[in-house]
Amino acid sequence: MSELLQMGLTGFNLGLMYALIAIGLTLIFGVMRIIQYAHGEMFMLGAFTLYYWNAEFGLPYWPGVAVSAVVIFLFGAFLQIVLFRRLHGKNILYSLAVSLGLVLIISSSGQILFGTTVKGIPSAVSGGVLFAGTYLSYERMVISAVSAALILALWFFLRFTTTGLAIRAVAEDPDTSALQGIRTSRIHWIAFGLGSSMAAIAGCMMGTLLSIVPTMGFLATIKAFMIVIMGGLGSVLGAVVGGLILGMIDSVVTTTISSDIALILSFVVIFLVLVFRPSGLFGQHWD
Amino acid sequence: MLLEVDKLHLHYGKVEAVKGVTVKLEQGEVITLIGANGAGKSSILKAISGLVRPSSGEIRYNGKRIDKTAPNDIVGMGIVHVPEGRRLFKLMTVRENLRLGAYLNKDRAAIHQGIEDVFDRFPILREKQNEMAGRLSGGQQQMVAMGRALMARPKVLLMDEPSLGLAPIMIDQIAELIVSLRDSGLSIILVEQNANLALTLSNHGYVLETGSIALHGPSAELLENPEVAKAYLGA
C-alpha cells in the first residue's frame, strides 16, 4: 500500500513537471502553428541557468528559478523574432528543419560551455515526513506545489488578462484577432517566450530532483511531443492530463518493471488514444 | 471625404479579384456594395481593413493613405470590420468576445459600460454572456459580432453579409440596428447579397461584376433601375 502511494505521488510530481514542459510546447504550437523541436533545449538551458546561479555563484535558489524563467523567456522571444517569425504561415516542415538545427547548435554549444559531466542543483528544501508508512519528501511536495501553482497561474493569465485573451484569440483565429486591434506578431513572441520559460522552470525543478547534462533536452522534447499529441495539439488542459498520465506510467512501470517498458507502454497508450480520438484527448482538428 | 478607395486592384495569386474599383464614403453615409458571389465585394472590405494588400491603387482615410497600414492600426483609427460568417472566437464566451472588441481600450470602466450597452441593445446576450459563442444560434452569433464591433467605438463600420443565413425576423432586427447606427451618424460600408435590403438601408450603391463596378448611384435610383431589378432584386 505504502509503495503504491509512493509511486502515485512520484508519478503526480513527475506528471506536473511533464505538464509544464508540454504546456509550453502546446502554447507555441497553438499560437504560431509551428513545430519547435528545440523546446527541450529551453528546458536544459533553464536548468543550467539555475545551476550556475545557485551551485556555482552561490546565489539563492528561488530567485534563481525566477531569473532562469526570465532569461529563457527573453531567449525564446529572441528566437521567435529572429528565426521563427519568418516561418509563420509556411509549411510546418520549415520550422521542423530550423528547430532541429537549433537542437544541434544549442546542445553542442552546451557541451562545450557547460562540459559533459553530470551536474546537480542543490536542493532548496530538505527533510520529509512519514505518512501512512510512506516517506514524503518536502522537496517533492514543494516542487509539486510550485508546478501546480504555475499551471494554475497560467490558466488564470490566459482566462482573465487582456494579453491572455489575446493569446487565445490569436490561437483560434489570427485574422479576426487582427481585426480587433491585436498585434499578432507581438502575441507570437510573447507566447514563444512564455512557452520557453515554462520549459525552463520545469528544467529547474527536474534538475533539482535528478541531475543535469547538456543533452537532457532531447528526451524532454520527445516526452513533450508525446504528451501534446496525446492531449491534443494546442490544448493546455490536454497537456496537463497527458503529462499526468505519462508521469504515472513512468513512475509505476519504472518502479515495478523497467524504464524501457515504461517508455514502450507510454507509446502504446498514445497509439490507443489516437486510434479512438485522432485529435488527441482534448484536441481540435488542425488543417 | 471620409474614406476613399481609389482605382483599387487586388490579386489572389494570378487571379485579379478587384479591377480598378473606386468607392467613396462620406461622413454619416451608408454605402452598399452589391453583386454576385466572387464579384470582389468582400475583397474590397478586406483591403480597407488591411487583411489583404492591394496590388495597386490607394485607400485614404481622412486624406491619409492606409493601404500599407497593419489591420490592428486600422482598427485603432476607428475602422472596424465585421467579417463574413461572423468569425466569432467560438471557444470563448460571449463576454470574452465582447471584451476583445475593446482590445485597444485600456479604460476598464469604459469597457464595462460598453458591454452593458451591448447587453441593453441585445438583451438575450446578457443571459448568454457566459456561454461559448460557438454554441449560439446564427442570429445570436450575429448579435455578438455586431456587439463586438460596437465595443471598438467605430467611426466607420465595414459589414460583410450581416444577413447571411439568418431567419427573416433576425434580418429585420439587423436592419433596424443598421438604421439606428446610421441615424447616430456612423459611416457604414455594407456588403450584401440581399440587394433589396442593402439598397433600402443605404444612401449610395455600387454594383460589382467580376471585380469591376458595373453601375453606381443613389440607392433609391438603383432600386428603380430595371437592370438592377432584373439581376439582383428578383424582378
Side-chain angles (χ1 to χ4, degrees):
Chain A
M1 178 62 193
S2 68
E3 200 180 341
L4 207 63
L5 185 63
Q6 186 72 65
M7 284 189 292
L9 289 171
T10 305
F12 182 68
N13 185 248
L14 212 53
L16 284 173
M17 282 183 289
Y18 286 165
L20 272 183
I21 313 172
I23 286 171
L25 190 66
T26 213
L27 202 60
I28 292 168
F29 175 83
V31 172
M32 285 193 67
R33 304 283 194 277
I34 58 159
I35 299 285
Q36 158 51 336
Y37 211 77
H39 192 61
E41 311 324 298
M42 306 295 137
F43 167 82
M44 178 272 286
L45 289 174
F48 271 96
T49 306
L50 178 64
Y51 169 78
Y52 279 100
W53 174 276
N54 181 246
E56 291 288 323
F57 303 134
L59 296 164
Y61 181 91
W62 291 109
V65 175
V67 165
S68 172
V70 171
V71 166
I72 303 305
F73 176 95
L74 294 174
F75 183 56
F78 170 77
L79 286 179
Q80 196 281 328
I81 291 166
V82 172
L83 280 180
F84 290 98
R85 175 168 293 177
R86 288 159 180 77
L87 308 177
H88 176 61
K90 294 210 166 74
N91 190 309
I92 213 156
L93 288 174
Y94 288 98
S95 56
L96 181 64
V98 167
S99 57
L100 272 173
L102 266 181
V103 170
L104 294 175
I105 292 169
I106 297 174
S107 74
S108 303
S109 307
Q111 289 181 61
I112 294 166
L113 290 170
F114 310 141
T116 50
T117 51
V118 175
K119 295 178 173 62
I121 301 168
S123 299
V125 190
S126 56
V129 63
L130 264 177
F131 175 75
T134 306
Y135 179 73
L136 305 177
S137 122
Y138 287 143
E139 182 184 46
R140 280 189 182 272
M141 282 158 70
V142 169
I143 283 178
S144 291
V146 169
S147 304
L150 274 171
I151 291 169
L152 216 58
L154 182 78
W155 183 83
F156 271 96
F157 170 74
L158 291 175
R159 195 140 301 266
F160 297 114
T161 68
T162 308
T163 305
L165 268 183
I167 288 175
R168 287 165 58 211
V170 173
E172 197 176 331
D173 187 341
D175 278 354
T176 307
S177 302
L179 292 180
Q180 312 314 310
I182 297 169
R183 191 143 51 92
T184 51
S185 57
R186 176 176 168 268
I187 296 302
H188 284 170
W189 68 253
I190 291 176
F192 205 104
L194 195 61
S196 302
S197 69
M198 298 293 274
I201 294 170
C204 295
M205 307 286 161
M206 201 84 103
T208 310
L209 284 179
L210 307 168
S211 54
I212 62 171
V213 281
T215 50
M216 67 195 267
F218 178 72
L219 196 59
T221 302
I222 298 280
K223 298 234 166 173
F225 270 99
M226 287 165 72
I227 292 163
V228 166
I229 289 166
M230 176 163 59
L233 288 166
S235 165
V236 172
L237 179 64
V240 175
V241 174
L244 288 173
I245 291 173
L246 220 63
M248 285 297 171
I249 292 173
D250 262 11
S251 168
V252 174
V253 181
T254 302
T255 311
T256 53
I257 309 172
S258 78
S259 59
D260 293 335
I261 300 292
L263 196 60
I264 291 169
L265 192 67
S266 300
F267 276 111
V268 170
V269 170
I270 290 167
F271 290 149
L272 287 175
V273 167
L274 294 183
V275 165
F276 292 104
R277 290 186 69 89
S279 302
L281 291 171
F282 300 95
Q284 304 153 45
H285 295 281
W286 301 106
D287 297 319
Chain B
M1 189 64 56
L2 182 66
L3 183 74
E4 193 172 6
V5 175
D6 190 12
K7 299 186 194 75
L8 183 81
H9 288 263
L10 203 152
H11 288 78
Y12 293 113
K14 287 181 180 169
V15 179
E16 189 173 22
V18 178
K19 303 166 184 169
V21 165
T22 296
V23 171
K24 292 173 182 175
L25 177 73
E26 300 276 8
Q27 175 67 49
E29 191 185 32
V30 177
I31 65 168
T32 185
L33 311 179
I34 58 173
N37 264 337
K41 311 181 297 291
S42 298
S43 297
I44 295 170
L45 293 196
K46 285 179 184 170
I48 297 171
S49 60
L51 279 183
V52 291
R53 288 268 170 268
S55 320
S56 64
E58 293 185 3
I59 302 171
R60 289 184 290 273
Y61 178 59
N62 283 325
K64 188 185 164 199
R65 278 188 73 169
I66 59 165
D67 44 85
K68 289 185 175 66
T69 308
N72 53 296
D73 292 328
I74 289 176
V75 178
M77 293 172 179
I79 301 175
V80 178
H81 185 166
V82 185
E84 185 181 353
R86 275 83 76 173
R87 300 284 290 268
L88 297 183
F89 299 107
K90 293 182 177 171
L91 303 175
M92 295 192 195
T93 65
V94 168
R95 197 179 183 89
E96 286 173 332
N97 269 275
L98 296 178
R99 267 187 68 191
L100 280 166
Y103 179 77
L104 294 176
N105 190 346
K106 304 297 172 206
D107 182 346
R108 281 172 172 269
I111 295 170
H112 180 76
Q113 188 54 51
I115 291 175
E116 286 302 312
D117 290 346
V118 172
F119 289 162
D120 289 342
R121 205 183 273 275
F122 306 111
I124 185 74
L125 296 187
R126 193 187 299 277
E127 289 170 34
K128 305 270 183 187
Q129 60 177 299
N130 293 318
E131 284 191 27
M132 292 293 153
R135 293 199 179 147
L136 303 183
S137 70
Q140 290 166 352
Q141 287 194 12
Q142 187 61 50
M143 290 178 198
V144 179
M146 298 291 299
R148 187 176 66 184
L150 294 176
M151 287 292 296
R153 304 258 178 244
K155 294 175 183 137
V156 174
L157 198 56
L158 311 176
M159 299 175 74
D160 199 349
E161 306 275 11
S163 76
L164 192 69
L166 298 185
I169 191 164
M170 261 318 297
I171 295 177
D172 290 345
Q173 256 187 287
I174 296 295
E176 277 173 31
L177 174 67
I178 294 171
V179 168
S180 88
L181 294 175
R182 181 190 65 188
D183 294 346
S184 71
L186 190 64
S187 309
I188 300 172
I189 301 183
L190 177 63
V191 160
E192 260 293 340
Q193 295 242 12
N194 185 340
N196 197 16
L197 175 78
L199 290 171
T200 308
L201 295 172
S202 59
N203 308 98
H204 203 93
Y206 293 82
V207 180
L208 277 115
E209 280 177 10
T210 57
S212 305
I213 291 175
L215 207 59
H216 74 97
S219 298
E221 283 180 22
L222 289 178
L223 270 170
E224 301 299 323
N225 185 305
E227 280 179 51
V228 174
K230 189 177 170 194
Y232 301 105
L233 303 177

